[in-house]
Amino acid sequence: MSAALAVAAVLLVLSVLALVHRWLWVRLVRDTTRPGGAARRVGTVLAFTLPLLSLAALTAGRAGAPFPVQQAVAWPGYLWLAVLLYLSMAVLVTEPVRAVLLRRGSGRGAAARPEPRTEDPQPQPQPDPEPQPASAGAAASAAAPPRPAPAGGPPPERPRDPAQPDADTAPGAGAAPAADPDAGAEAAGLSRRVFVARALAGAAAAAAAGTVGYGTYGVLRGPSVKRVRVPLAKLPRAAHGFRIAVVSDVHIGPVLGRAHTARVVEAVNGTQPDLIAIVGDLVDGDVADLGPAAEPLARLRARHGAFFVTGNHEYFSGAQQWIDHVRELGVTPLENARRMLPYFDLAGVNDVQGEREGAGPDFRAALGDRDRGRAAVLMAHQPVVIHEAVRHGVDLQLSGHTHGGQLWPGEYLADLANPTVAGLERYGDTQLYVSRGAGAWGPPVRVGAPSDITVVELASYQA
């Protein structure tokens, strides 16, 4: 039954995407281009190609496509998803504007169009034609007096001069028909419709491209550094000011590679932390493909070391291979385990996605036998485990996963599935800090949720 629901959901999503692309093609291509023209053909090809690239980007990795193929489809495919979101929103906003402008233009056209006359015009006197030379036969006919018309009948016809051609058979007759005011008004209306369509389509495209371009620049320049002060009641005075660099959701993969990892490492080391906590979703892919991109992690430096817990994306490609690899890079994995540091306990639990492999979070193993008189800091990828953390007396939970929504208005959707989307909140005696993440999943774009590395500075009430 669950498989059938999954297939139905996929078909529904594909149907919606097809309808959205059809609607955008109508507004941005059909309404703005000439039938059969080059612009119409190019726009139609893109309307089919871009969604196919997006589907390829989403499925290439899990389908086992070669890594160069994944990289080739990832950038255009994922970027189009971001453009599609904001382009659809922009075109939707222009719909009422389009309706108002076209209605106003239609009203003006109807007012300017002259009403047809219903009364017959009064006959106007016609001037007599100038006498023309005529043949003998014509002269004889002209000499004969005209036959009187019967009373009340039509006026007698003037004799036709053979030298003058008929109006119906004159050269050029019928070549230039009289101008039709209705046809002119129709042409003017068509021109206005095209002008409005092109203006609104251009504005929508510019807004979407500008939004996505700025969001892409924000990701590629690297995460910013945030600083948050968190007081802990059980923290000894000697640990006051202890700095933990929280790194989440780096998402090394076909889009964000070695250069991105190096930017993250440089930013983390620049904060001179006492401890580094990598709270999941480090990678999107296999070690065989992404091992070189992850190598800069070996340069992480902190007085008490760097630690790592799995996120849900590690399980999509095989979590164990990455647990082993980060250990080789000098980062310590915490698999439902705990380390006793000089001033507090640092614990880590596996991500809930690991339950499908029998390796889910185990709070008893990580926290069950500890001394509750000591402060405890927990690394857990998803904020949803906060209630388990509260039950086990955790003082501070460090999480990621949400990306802060990544693409506005995604934060409202993330809020439906997570107790906290970003920032610091308190749940009973436990505080939860959720990082927006240092990278991006899918489109390398962030709008309204900039990437960050957070330096959590622990504070003691005794200081």
Side-chain angles (χ1 to χ4, degrees):
M1 184 64 178
S2 59
L5 288 176
V7 171
V10 170
L11 292 177
L12 177 62
V13 170
L14 292 177
S15 300
V16 171
L17 285 175
L19 290 174
V20 169
H21 279 88
R22 164 70 181 175
W23 168 58
L24 290 179
W25 177 84
V26 169
R27 285 291 180 247
L28 303 179
V29 179
R30 191 196 68 180
D31 291 353
T32 63
T33 59
R34 181 173 57 84
R40 174 75 61 92
R41 290 195 296 269
V42 171
T44 302
V45 169
L46 289 176
F48 280 94
T49 303
L50 290 172
L52 291 178
L53 283 172
S54 297
L55 290 175
L58 289 168
T59 59
R62 298 191 185 185
F67 191 64
V69 174
Q70 297 180 40
Q71 291 177 306
V73 299
W75 269 100
Y78 282 131
L79 276 179
W80 173 244
L81 289 177
V83 172
L84 177 65
L85 171 64
Y86 292 108
L87 189 58
S88 300
M89 294 170 62
V91 173
L92 186 63
V93 168
T94 66
E95 288 295 306
V97 179
R98 177 192 308 275
V100 170
L101 292 178
L102 292 183
R103 186 180 301 115
R104 183 174 300 175
S106 175
R108 288 177 180 173
R113 184 179 300 175
E115 293 291 336
R117 300 182 62 179
T118 57
E119 297 182 359
D120 293 334
Q122 295 297 325
Q124 299 296 325
Q126 300 293 328
D128 291 335
E130 294 292 333
Q132 301 289 337
S135 61
S141 299
R147 185 176 298 178
E157 295 183 359
R158 291 184 180 274
R160 185 175 63 85
D161 189 345
Q164 298 294 329
D166 258 348
D168 294 339
T169 60
D180 184 358
D182 290 344
E186 183 178 353
L190 177 62
S191 176
R192 181 182 183 85
R193 284 196 297 273
V194 172
F195 173 79
V196 169
R198 289 178 177 175
L200 294 180
T211 301
V212 173
Y214 182 76
T216 304
Y217 169 74
V219 171
L220 296 183
R221 74 182 175 187
S224 60
V225 175
K226 291 181 60 178
R227 298 181 183 274
V228 177
R229 197 164 185 263
V230 180
L232 299 180
K234 300 175 186 177
L235 192 71
R237 182 174 182 175
H240 182 75
F242 191 96
R243 297 184 306 277
I244 303 175
V246 181
V247 184
S248 75
D249 303 278
V250 180
H251 286 287
I252 304 168
V255 176
L256 300 176
R258 185 185 181 96
H260 178 67
T261 310
R263 285 190 293 266
V264 172
V265 169
E266 181 181 359
V268 170
N269 289 342
T271 66
Q272 298 181 337
D274 297 303
L275 182 145
I276 299 170
I278 304 174
V279 290
D281 278 8
L282 177 64
V283 293
D284 282 304
D286 296 329
V287 171
D289 296 326
L290 300 177
E295 284 179 0
L297 296 174
R299 301 199 298 266
L300 288 171
R301 296 289 181 267
R303 185 158 58 101
H304 292 279
F307 296 85
F308 166 76
V309 294
T310 56
N312 55 308
H313 280 247
E314 272 76 42
Y315 291 96
F316 297 152
S317 53
Q320 191 59 51
Q321 62 173 323
W322 283 108
I323 290 171
D324 296 338
H325 190 65
V326 298
R327 185 180 285 113
E328 295 172 2
L329 296 174
V331 179
T332 302
L334 290 177
E335 302 177 78
N336 297 323
R338 181 178 74 256
R339 281 291 181 93
M340 293 183 62
L341 299 179
Y343 309 116
F344 60 90
D345 292 342
L346 178 69
V349 292
N350 296 346
D351 185 69
V352 294
Q353 184 72 27
E355 292 175 351
R356 298 187 179 184
E357 302 178 10
D362 188 339
F363 285 85
R364 184 183 297 275
L367 298 163
D369 58 349
R370 74 178 189 88
D371 178 6
R372 292 211 174 193
R374 286 169 57 87
V377 176
L378 174 68
M379 297 169 56
H381 177 62
Q382 298 196 38
V384 293
V385 301
I386 181 62
H387 304 296
E388 283 291 330
V390 172
R391 280 194 287 271
H392 285 83
V394 169
D395 296 278
L396 173 64
Q397 176 179 319
L398 304 174
S399 297
H401 183 64
T402 68
H403 296 207
Q406 184 168 329
L407 296 171
W408 184 91
E411 60 189 275
Y412 300 108
L413 296 177
D415 188 51
L416 298 176
N418 296 277
T420 298
V421 175
L424 183 67
E425 289 189 358
R426 176 178 287 276
Y427 294 82
D429 293 332
T430 303
Q431 297 182 77
L432 168 64
Y433 181 78
V434 180
S435 168
R436 291 191 178 98
W441 179 82
V445 183
R446 282 180 172 266
V447 177
S451 58
D452 67 63
I453 292 165
T454 303
V455 176
V456 173
E457 183 177 318
L458 304 181
S460 171
Y461 285 109
Q462 304 171 23

